[in-house]
C-alpha cells in the first residue's frame, strides 16, 4: 500500500517535470528565450498538458476507480451544499493566507502570470481540480481508507478515517511546494478528504475545488494590476468589514458542513 502511494506521487511529479522540461526547452529553441523562465502562456500549456496526461495515466492504470454509482443516487442536495461550503471557505482562506506572512510565497508570481493568460481559467479552475482530486483523493486517500485496519488496527473506526484524511491532507499541502499555501491547502485538504471519505466519490470534491479556484481566479483577474491586494483594501480599508466578511462566510460554511454531514452516506 505504501509503495503504491509513493508510486502515485512519483508519477505525478515526473509527469509534471517531463512536460515542464519539454515546453521550457521548446520555448528556448523556438522563441530564442534565454534561460528557463516561462511566460504565463507556457505555464498554462504545461499545466494543461500535464493535467491531461496525468488524468489519462491514472484512469488507464485504474489507480483511481471510476464508477457512476454516486451520481446514480441523484445527490443533488449534497452537490448544492458542496457549492455553498466552497463559497464559505473562500474569504477565510484569503484571510488566513494574508496572516501567515512569515511563510514565503514561492508560487505567487507564476500564478499571476497564469491568470494573466487567456487560457489561465481552464488550467487553474478546471484542469487542476480534476487532476488533484483524482490523485489526492481518488488514489492516495482511497488507499489509506481501504487499509485502515492494516494501518491503525481493528479498533480504529472513525479515528482511522480521520488519520487517513489527515495524512492525505498533509501530502496534498506539501505537494503544492509553496510555504504560503500550506495552512490553506491543509485545511481544504481536510474538507475535501472528509467529503470523499463519506461519499467515496471525487465528484463533490471536484465541485468544491472548481468553485474555490474559480473564485480565486475571478478575484485575481479583477485586481490583476494590484498583485498584493488585501481584504482590507478590497473593503476600503475597513478592518470591521473584513471581519464581517469572514463572519458572513462562516455563516455559509458551518450550515453547509452540518447539511453535508446529515446528507452524505455514513
Amino acid at each position: 500500500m505504501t509503495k503504491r502511494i509513493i508510486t502515485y506521487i512519483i508519477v505525478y511529479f515526473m509527469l509534471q517535470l517531463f512536460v515542464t522540461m519539454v515546453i521550457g526547452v521548446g520555448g528556448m529553441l523556438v522563441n530564442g528565450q534565454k534561460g528557463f523562465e516561462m511566460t504565463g502562456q507556457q505555464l498554462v500549456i504545461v499545466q494543461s498538458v500535464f493535467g491531461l496526461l496525468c488524468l489519462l495515466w491514472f484512469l488507464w492504470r485504474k489507480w483511481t476507480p471510476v464508477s457512476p454509482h454516486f451520481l446514480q443516487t441523484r445527490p443533488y442536495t449534497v452537490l448544492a451544499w458542496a457549492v455553498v461550503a466552497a463559497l464559505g471557505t473562500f474569504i477565510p482562506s484569503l484571510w488566513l493566507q494574508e496572516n501567515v506572512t512569515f511563510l514565503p510565497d514561492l508560487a505567487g508570481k507564476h500564478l499571476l502570470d497564469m491568470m494573466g493568460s487567456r487560457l489561465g481559467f481552464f488550467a487553474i479552475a478546471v484542469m487542476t481540480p480534476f487532476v488533484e482530486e483524482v490523485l489526492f483523493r481518488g488514489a492516495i486517500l482511497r488507499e489509506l481508507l481501504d487499509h485502515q485496519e492494516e494501518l491503525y488496527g481493528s479498533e480504529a473506526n472513525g479515528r482511522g478515517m480521520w488519520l487517513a484524511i489527515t495524512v492525505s491532507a498533509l501530502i496534498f499541502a506539501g505537494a503544492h511546494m509553496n510555504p504560503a499555501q500550506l495552512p490553506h491547502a491543509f485545511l481544504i485538504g481536510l474538507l475535501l478528504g472528509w467529503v470523499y471519505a463519506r461519499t467515496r466519490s471525487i465528484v463533490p470534491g471536484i465541485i468544491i475545488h472548481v468553485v474555490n479556484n474559480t473564485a480565486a481566479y475571478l478575484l485575481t483577474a479583477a485586481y490583476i494590476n494590484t498583485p498584493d491586494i488585501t481584504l482590507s483594501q478590497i473593503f476600503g480599508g475597513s478592518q470591521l468589514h473584513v471581519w464581517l466578511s469572514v463572519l458572513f462566510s462562516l455563516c455559509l460554511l458551518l450550515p453547509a458542513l452540518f447539511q453535508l454531514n446529515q446528507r452524505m452516506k455514513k
Side-chain angles (χ1 to χ4, degrees):
M1 183 273 299
T2 303
K3 290 181 179 179
R4 285 195 293 270
I5 291 177
I6 293 174
T7 299
Y8 301 155
I9 296 171
I10 290 174
V11 169
Y12 173 81
F13 282 110
M14 289 302 292
L15 284 174
Q16 195 169 37
L17 178 62
F18 171 74
V19 175
T20 301
M21 293 295 293
V22 170
I23 300 299
V25 172
M28 292 170 65
L29 295 175
V30 175
N31 302 322
Q33 294 175 201
K34 295 181 179 180
F36 207 73
E37 186 67 24
M38 289 191 175
T39 65
Q41 186 173 358
Q42 287 175 319
L43 290 169
V44 167
I45 294 173
V46 167
Q47 188 65 22
S48 301
V49 174
F50 150 70
L52 181 59
L53 289 177
C54 196
L55 286 175
L56 292 174
W57 187 273
F58 272 71
L59 296 178
W60 171 61
R61 298 287 295 177
K62 296 182 180 180
W63 288 347
T64 301
V66 176
S67 169
H69 174 71
F70 177 73
L71 293 177
Q72 287 173 348
T73 64
R74 299 182 180 181
Y76 306 127
T77 54
V78 170
L79 298 181
W81 282 111
V83 171
V84 177
L87 293 173
T89 65
F90 181 61
I91 294 295
S93 293
L94 285 180
W95 178 86
L96 179 62
Q97 284 191 259
E98 286 181 13
N99 287 276
V100 291
T101 53
F102 55 91
L103 296 175
D105 188 358
L106 304 180
K109 181 181 182 302
H110 290 160
L111 288 173
L112 285 173
D113 290 342
M114 290 176 66
M115 290 179 179
S117 170
R118 286 178 296 178
L119 295 177
F121 176 80
F122 173 77
I124 293 170
V126 179
M127 185 58 74
T128 296
F130 272 85
V131 173
E132 293 185 345
E133 292 312 303
V134 163
L135 170 65
F136 295 104
R137 259 61 66 178
I140 292 176
L141 180 54
R142 177 184 57 79
E143 288 282 353
L144 292 169
L145 290 170
D146 287 348
H147 295 83
Q148 285 184 65
E149 185 172 324
E150 172 189 329
L151 290 170
Y152 316 117
S154 58
E155 303 299 324
N157 297 325
R159 183 172 63 89
M161 183 189 79
W162 276 106
L163 283 171
I165 292 170
T166 302
V167 170
S168 70
L170 286 170
I171 296 172
F172 175 63
H176 283 75
M177 300 181 73
N178 184 18
Q181 289 180 282
L182 287 176
H184 157 73
F186 174 69
L187 293 175
I188 291 296
L190 291 178
L191 171 61
L192 294 169
W194 173 64
V195 171
Y196 176 81
R198 290 288 299 275
T199 62
R200 283 306 184 105
S201 171
I202 62 173
V203 174
I206 289 174
I207 297 295
I208 293 172
H209 217 141
V210 167
V211 171
N212 189 276
N213 285 19
T214 297
Y217 179 88
L218 293 175
L219 178 66
T220 304
Y223 294 94
I224 194 69
N225 296 320
T226 313
D228 296 323
I229 191 71
T230 65
L231 285 173
S232 179
Q233 290 173 306
I234 291 173
F235 290 107
S238 171
Q239 196 61 36
L240 174 62
H241 288 171
V242 171
W243 284 110
L244 287 175
S245 70
V246 172
L247 178 62
F248 174 76
S249 297
L250 293 177
C251 289
L252 294 177
L253 178 59
L254 296 179
L257 295 179
F258 174 80
Q259 290 294 334
L260 286 171
N261 185 59
Q262 295 295 107
R263 297 171 186 276
M264 290 189 298
K265 183 179 68 175
K266 297 291 184 182

